[in-house]
Amino acid sequence: MKKYIFVLFAMLMAPLVSAAPEFKEGVEYKVVQETASSKPVVTEFFSYVCPHCYSFQPLMSKLEQRVPDLVLKKVPVSFLGREMGPVLQRAFGAAELLKVEEQLTPVMFDRIHRQKKMPNDLADIKAVFIANGVAEKDFDGVINSFALNGMVAQYDKLTERFEVHGTPTIIVKDKYELNMSEIGSEERFYQVVEYLLSLK
């Protein structure tokens, strides 16, 4: 009788075991810092000029829906976009300070990648902000402000700290970097992130 009970238990457990994700360090992710954040934080290093970052935005939005307590951080890098790289980085920071980032980021991505209208200078950036409801005086008040300079310095510090050289780069809990080429699908992306968020 005990034998049959054991077999039945094994059969019931088999689907659970097979469904468990098997993610390995050095394959789907690597460790980039010794200490993990105690918060469920995911950091995305990105650039407005990066086509992969543009395509990646719906995944990040769905990730927020799947993980309700997720802290999602976006860090703009300055090394893409040539002379416009630092300008676009400041544009993101300005949007954050003006509390319009969620509105402006899709606009910037759409303008650059769908409309093929790459901003040529800060004046073009300013025009986009104004066209989307930001007062000219408000934009002028933040774009060269001490607060924005501090944010830009922090963006660069984080980019250097995690040795980011390409985008999008995804860091989970300040400790694990995803190997996007090994993940392979949208659902697997969510599973890997959720798995890493569960680690101590």
Side-chain angles (χ1 to χ4, degrees):
M1 184 66 179
K2 288 184 178 179
K3 178 180 179 182
Y4 291 114
I5 292 174
F6 175 79
V7 171
L8 178 61
F9 179 76
M11 290 176 63
L12 290 171
M13 289 300 295
L16 299 177
V17 173
S18 63
E22 297 181 1
F23 305 127
K24 297 180 180 179
E25 180 183 345
V27 182
E28 290 87 4
Y29 68 93
K30 65 179 180 180
V31 175
V32 292
Q33 297 285 324
E34 290 185 6
T35 305
S37 169
S38 60
K39 297 180 180 179
V41 58
V42 173
T43 305
E44 176 195 5
F45 290 85
F46 83 103
S47 168
Y48 283 136
V49 302
C50 166
H52 300 297
C53 299
Y54 170 55
S55 302
F56 206 68
Q57 296 313 295
L59 276 72
M60 299 306 289
S61 296
K62 290 180 183 178
L63 180 63
E64 285 189 286
Q65 296 171 9
R66 286 177 65 121
V67 186
D69 58 344
L70 180 69
V71 178
L72 179 59
K73 296 181 180 179
K74 299 172 74 71
V75 179
V77 302
S78 63
F79 57 78
L80 294 177
R82 299 184 179 181
E83 67 278 359
M84 283 302 295
V87 179
L88 290 168
Q89 183 188 53
R90 295 187 74 82
F92 177 85
E96 283 204 311
L97 284 174
L98 293 168
K99 303 188 184 305
V100 293
E101 185 274 320
E102 290 187 3
Q103 175 187 346
L104 262 293
T105 287
V107 170
M108 292 298 298
F109 272 129
D110 184 81
R111 177 186 173 91
I112 293 171
H113 297 283
R114 193 180 68 82
Q115 300 179 41
K116 307 299 182 185
K117 294 181 179 179
M118 178 69 183
N120 294 311
D121 51 31
L122 185 59
D124 285 349
I125 298 293
K126 180 177 179 177
V128 173
F129 273 68
I130 292 173
N132 286 274
V134 175
E136 182 176 3
K137 63 179 180 61
D138 292 337
F139 180 86
D140 291 341
V142 302
I143 197 60
N144 291 307
S145 65
F146 178 81
L148 183 52
N149 290 340
M151 291 173 68
V152 168
Q154 184 66 17
Y155 296 151
D156 290 339
K157 183 177 180 180
L158 288 170
T159 301
E160 181 179 354
R161 172 186 171 189
F162 289 104
E163 299 181 358
V164 175
H165 302 292
T167 56
T169 292
I170 307 298
I171 307 292
V172 180
K173 293 183 72 172
D174 294 337
K175 181 174 181 177
Y176 310 103
E177 179 182 334
L178 269 59
N179 183 355
M180 303 304 294
S181 64
E182 290 291 336
I183 291 175
S185 71
E186 180 177 335
E187 182 59 30
R188 194 167 172 81
F189 164 74
Y190 301 136
Q191 291 176 353
V192 174
V193 172
E194 289 167 348
Y195 166 73
L196 294 175
L197 287 172
S198 72
L199 298 181
K200 300 299 183 183

